[in-house]
Amino acid sequence: MNDACGSGLCAGTAVPLPGDVGNGVGLSQSAGITTIAWNAAPGSTSSAVLRGLVGGLPVGPGGGDEVCLPTLAGQTSTTDAEVPATSAAFWYLVKGENSCGSGPYGFQESNGVPAAPRVSTTCP
């Protein structure tokens, strides 16, 4: 292939954007630390993890309750030491990234059918 990608710009045959992570995201807790683990999105070289408050739903486009958790290229798990306030809860979404851009944080649904991709300006 004749691909050259950098900073979201591609020349030659474009590298496809990563697919959806799907339902492969899992959470576990131990001693107040939440571990978030996921299946790598098809076509991704890194991931972004977005966290928000359940009371702040729907997701995006970015709000004061949304936080981008740090991840490294190739990583498929990270931890979160934050604890939500009493009677609150966090949600977590993961998207894949590669040299030509980012995949979705999943999709909004309309009558049970995936529709528009979820987006957030917190982890662009």
Side-chain angles (χ1 to χ4, degrees), residues 80-92:
D80 185 9
E82 290 293 318
V83 177
T86 303
S87 20
F90 290 141
W91 52 258
Y92 297 90

Side-chain angles (χ1 to χ4, degrees), residues 79-105:
T79 59
D80 185 9
E82 290 293 318
V83 177
T86 303
S87 20
F90 290 141
W91 52 258
Y92 297 90
L93 295 175
V94 180
K95 71 177 178 180
E97 300 174 323
N98 66 25
S99 60
C100 281
S102 299
Y105 284 115

